[in-house]
Amino acid sequence: MSDYNEYGFEVIDDFLPEDVASKIELMFLGENNKWEHTTQVHDRAYGEGEYGKHKTDNPKFPKEDEEYLAKFWRSNKLELEVNDIFNEYFFPKIKEISHLELVEYDVRCNKLESGDHYRSHIDNYAGGVGCVYYINKKWCWDWGGILHIGIGDELKSIFPKYNRLMILNNTKFSRSHFITPVNEWAHQPRFSLISFNKDKNRS
């Protein structure tokens, strides 16, 4: 049984051919990517009802009276430019791992700078399969920006290693996860390509 079905996520290192991985890195480092900064503050995100997208019974995650918070940059321009690469390399692999009839995907090109972060959240509402691809060729452990996934009483940390792809099983699991703030001493922004992929048989 693969990690995708047993634990809810699969990590694939050295995912893209090196020339394609380098091409994506250069695209993200471009000077005219028109990054837009977003700050999100959502109350009732951890409770019941219409806005309770991130509710979890795990006592080590936020309670009902807390707010979901996120700060990040996004480039719609980059998302259009990487679409062909995603369609050629990413989407077939996601279909292969998930064994689902995926019919639609939503690609996000994100950047985290000093202080940017994502508080605990669950992505099931966005698509049956999620993926995160890491862009930076150099990243240090203490620069922050580390993805953490809750599995019962334990926390699994995913380092943003260059050319690493992580695929999340949002169909079978509801894995709360968060990204720690990027620290002020990080030498560069943290780049990632994210996608939410929708199953034909799941609204």
Side-chain angles (χ1 to χ4, degrees):
M1 181 179 291
S2 73
D3 288 346
Y4 178 82
N5 290 311
E6 186 172 1
Y7 299 111
F9 60 91
E10 184 93 12
V11 175
I12 303 170
D13 286 335
D14 303 317
F15 171 62
L16 291 175
E18 179 56 34
D19 60 326
V20 180
S22 292
K23 180 179 178 180
I24 291 181
E25 184 208 22
L26 289 174
M27 292 168 69
F28 271 74
L29 291 172
E31 295 182 356
N32 300 307
N33 287 324
K34 298 181 179 178
W35 294 102
E36 295 185 5
H37 194 251
T38 297
T39 298
Q40 295 178 340
V41 181
H42 298 161
D43 63 358
R44 293 181 287 172
Y46 301 112
E48 301 284 357
E50 179 182 359
Y51 302 102
K53 294 179 179 179
H54 310 308
K55 176 177 169 53
T56 175
D57 295 328
N58 190 321
K60 296 184 178 179
F61 281 94
K63 306 299 184 293
E64 186 170 335
D65 60 348
E66 298 184 59
E67 294 176 325
Y68 169 74
L69 306 168
K71 291 176 66 177
F72 58 92
W73 297 81
R74 182 176 174 183
S75 171
N76 296 130
K77 178 177 179 289
L78 263 179
E79 289 160 11
L80 293 173
E81 293 174 354
V82 303
N83 190 69
D84 288 344
I85 295 175
F86 184 88
N87 205 33
E88 180 177 356
Y89 292 97
F90 290 80
F91 205 45
K93 175 57 71 173
I94 295 167
K95 287 180 177 180
E96 176 191 328
I97 296 291
S98 68
H99 298 290
L100 294 175
E101 190 175 354
L102 301 173
V103 294
E104 183 181 347
Y105 58 79
D106 177 13
V107 173
R108 317 264 179 105
C109 292
N110 282 21
K111 174 176 71 167
L112 301 183
E113 295 187 341
S114 178
D116 290 338
H117 60 273
Y118 288 85
R119 203 171 178 200
S120 302
H121 61 283
I122 300 171
D123 287 327
N124 299 49
Y125 70 94
V129 186
C131 90
V132 183
Y133 175 76
Y134 296 112
I135 312 292
N136 298 77
K137 282 189 175 176
K138 295 182 180 179
W139 195 261
C140 292
W141 286 354
D142 73 340
W143 287 2
I146 309 299
L147 172 65
H148 298 280
I149 304 173
I151 303 178
D153 290 333
E154 298 184 356
L155 207 57
K156 175 68 175 178
S157 300
I158 308 293
F159 184 74
K161 179 183 177 182
Y162 172 67
N163 202 13
R164 166 175 281 177
L165 177 70
M166 189 191 69
I167 302 175
L168 278 161
N169 186 345
N170 296 330
T171 303
K172 182 178 178 182
F173 298 90
S174 294
R175 294 289 191 217
S176 294
H177 54 283
F178 61 95
I179 300 173
T180 56
V182 170
N183 290 315
E184 61 184 15
W185 53 83
H187 290 185
Q188 56 192 255
R190 174 194 182 273
F191 296 116
S192 61
L193 186 157
I194 301 165
S195 79
F196 302 106
N197 308 273
K198 295 186 178 180
D199 179 11
K200 178 181 179 180
N201 300 312
R202 187 170 183 260
S203 61

